[in-house]
Amino acid sequence: MRFTSQTSSDGVTEHLFTLGETPGVLWTPQDAPGTRPVILMGHGGGQHKKAPGVEARARRFVAEGGFAVVAIDAPHHGERPKGEEFNRLAAENRARMAAGEDKAPLVAAMHELLAEQAVAEWQAVLTAVQQLDHVGAGPVGYWGVSMGCGLGVPLVAAEPRVRAAVLGLLGPSGLAGTAARVTVPVQFLLQWDDQLVPRDQSLALFDALASPDKTLHANPGDHGEIPAFETDSSLRFFTRHLGQDAPLPV
């Protein structure tokens, strides 16, 4: 892991880094030593590791919860080059959206393409981050909705270090079998008037998750209109499941 810059403000230190070909950012409490829980934060489609919503949420988790938060540019996003197959799927997806056609199969194909690479990258980044003295090998959570959910479900299913996840804004196309392997506590976000992901599809993915401890948070509004108070709820969720008094997974 190679750090390329470090800045601090409002009690939060931001470290930009690269690990191999993966660019990322780590936020930690300023001048706070010792082991702490880590939140891996996935961004949405077309976004990047420092998208405004990602950074604002990460800084709150650090400042108010004492977490370390990590975000990376997903494959073909942010600082990373876009490949031919990704560009083809993206163009076809835009065309289907413009025509009002069902885009779920294409979205699933795109997420599958990205997840093949992203899961291994997240695991490598997590291993590197947990070797840092001011992070350590504490419990791990994952936050990601929309594309962040499409890449997060395979990661949570594959990575035993992840003990809790906030997911949502996505249907089960291509994910139902993988979701059946997710058994950690989940908080699932759904926008009732979502024009990109019909509510019955979001409900189907929630139902497919095998976790015995899962809650559904449904709010009015379109795809990108998650209420600000859901960040408060996510913070409480991770504090409950990743804090020092949290029960260990069975």
Side-chain angles (χ1 to χ4, degrees):
M1 175 173 278
R2 183 173 68 89
F3 288 101
T4 57
S5 74
Q6 176 178 315
T7 57
S8 297
S9 62
D10 300 322
V12 177
T13 298
E14 176 185 288
H15 321 253
L16 292 176
F17 68 83
T18 57
L19 182 66
E21 300 298 319
T22 308
V25 55
L26 167 67
W27 293 275
T28 57
Q30 186 175 353
D31 300 325
T35 300
R36 65 193 66 257
V38 177
I39 308 296
L40 310 179
M41 191 167 292
H43 62 74
Q47 298 183 355
H48 54 83
K49 62 185 178 297
K50 287 194 65 178
V54 172
E55 182 164 6
R57 188 177 302 108
R59 287 182 172 273
R60 281 204 58 195
F61 284 5
V62 173
E64 299 178 28
F67 297 106
V69 180
V70 189
I72 64 174
D73 285 335
H76 310 284
H77 285 74
E79 301 177 54
R80 310 183 71 168
K82 295 178 173 59
E84 181 178 341
E85 178 64 7
F86 175 82
N87 286 332
R88 183 190 70 78
L89 289 170
E92 190 172 348
N93 190 38
R94 289 192 295 269
R96 286 200 178 193
M97 288 179 64
E101 298 175 359
D102 182 16
K103 53 197 170 295
L106 269 180
V107 170
M110 181 177 292
H111 290 175
E112 183 177 0
L113 172 70
L114 302 183
E116 289 178 1
Q117 181 176 344
V119 170
E121 290 177 344
W122 267 125
Q123 290 175 314
V125 166
L126 175 58
T127 296
V129 165
Q130 289 194 318
Q131 292 173 355
L132 301 173
D133 291 340
H134 58 296
V135 178
V140 180
Y142 179 86
W143 193 103
V145 298
S146 195
M147 189 187 82
C149 178
L151 307 187
V153 169
L155 172 63
V156 176
E159 178 49 68
R161 287 174 290 182
V162 176
R163 288 174 40 181
V166 176
L167 303 167
L169 303 190
L170 196 65
S173 182
L175 283 178
T178 308
R181 302 200 307 272
V182 173
T183 58
V184 300
V186 172
Q187 186 165 284
F188 193 91
L189 305 183
L190 180 154
Q191 288 300 102
W192 202 250
D193 309 297
D194 195 328
Q195 295 182 2
L196 293 180
V197 183
R199 71 179 68 135
D200 61 332
Q201 293 185 20
S202 286
L203 290 169
L205 179 55
F206 174 76
D207 190 51
L209 295 164
S211 172
D213 181 358
K214 58 182 179 180
T215 57
L216 178 68
H217 287 211
N219 292 286
D222 200 358
H223 192 75
E225 298 176 347
I226 298 173
F229 61 73
E230 286 294 355
T231 297
D232 302 331
S233 182
S234 295
L235 181 56
R236 291 192 299 270
F237 172 81
F238 284 128
T239 299
R240 185 166 67 251
H241 289 290
L242 305 180
Q244 291 184 349
D245 298 327
L248 294 173
V250 177

